[in-house]
Amino acid sequence: MTTEPPWTHLGAVDVGGRDRTELRAALAGAGIAVNESAEILLGLDAIEAGAGVLDLASATPADLGLAGGGSLPAIFAAASEQGLALCPLATAPFLRLVHREDESVDPELRRHRPPDGALHVASPLPPGGTDIPTGFYLRTVSGQRWLRGYRCDADYRLPPDAVFVFALESARTRL
């Protein structure tokens, strides 16, 4: 008897191969909006690292066994137990260029809760402490595709239905 994995396969994405200037130009050329936090993350050296093809999957905390949601460390640990790995920070802008997620039903941005329809790209926390945003998420509102940065601390609990994008462990070695 084969058990289905608790995640959904998204496919392969070519990550890297462009410097920060080229990546920003590609995002602008595709009509992708970015917020101030995303701009900060796009300026980090880690954005230029990690050229290669990465196989991606999505899962919610509930999919990973966290019925009540969880903190980023708890979600990342549960994902690791399921054969999922963190993505390089550079994954989010490259995924944004090729991925079209569902339109957000709630166009409002609210503080202190993830927006509906957002895909949070699970990546190591950038260096710099609280001065640097935590990571990226992708969202589409009123036809506008966004690459947004977000901030949360290690204690913040994300809801059980927040969607995260991870790398499949088997593909991680290709980077």
Side-chain angles (χ1 to χ4, degrees):
M1 178 175 175
T2 306
T3 304
E4 290 294 317
W7 39 264
T8 302
H9 187 244
L10 295 177
V13 172
D14 194 2
V15 176
R18 297 182 189 186
D19 66 26
R20 288 180 284 246
T21 303
E22 293 168 328
L23 187 53
R24 281 184 168 116
L27 291 166
I32 295 166
V34 296
N35 68 349
E36 184 179 330
S37 292
E39 280 292 344
I40 292 168
L41 292 169
L42 287 168
L44 298 176
D45 289 342
I47 289 298
E48 294 186 6
V53 176
L54 194 59
D55 207 14
L56 302 176
S58 67
T60 66
D63 294 336
L64 300 171
L66 301 171
S71 65
L72 285 180
I75 294 166
F76 294 172
S80 180
E81 291 172 10
Q82 297 293 330
L84 300 172
L86 297 180
C87 302
L89 186 62
T91 304
F94 287 95
L95 178 61
R96 173 73 290 172
L97 287 168
V98 298
H99 185 74
R100 296 196 178 267
E101 71 284 342
D102 293 336
E103 179 81 17
S104 179
V105 218
D106 181 3
E108 290 187 44
L109 291 174
R110 294 190 180 94
R111 295 181 74 102
H112 310 298
R113 79 168 176 87
D116 73 298
L119 293 178
H120 293 79
V121 179
S123 58
L125 301 179
T130 58
D131 293 340
I132 302 293
T134 307
F136 286 110
Y137 69 87
L138 286 57
R139 185 174 190 224
T140 300
V141 178
S142 301
Q144 175 65 62
R145 292 166 55 209
W146 282 90
L147 175 65
R148 297 184 61 87
Y150 70 95
R151 293 174 192 266
C152 71
D153 63 25
D155 296 325
Y156 179 75
R157 293 186 61 80
L158 288 109
D161 60 347
V163 180
F164 285 84
V165 175
F166 296 95
L168 294 173
E169 287 269 346
S170 59
R172 183 171 60 173
T173 57
R174 289 187 239 162
L175 289 178

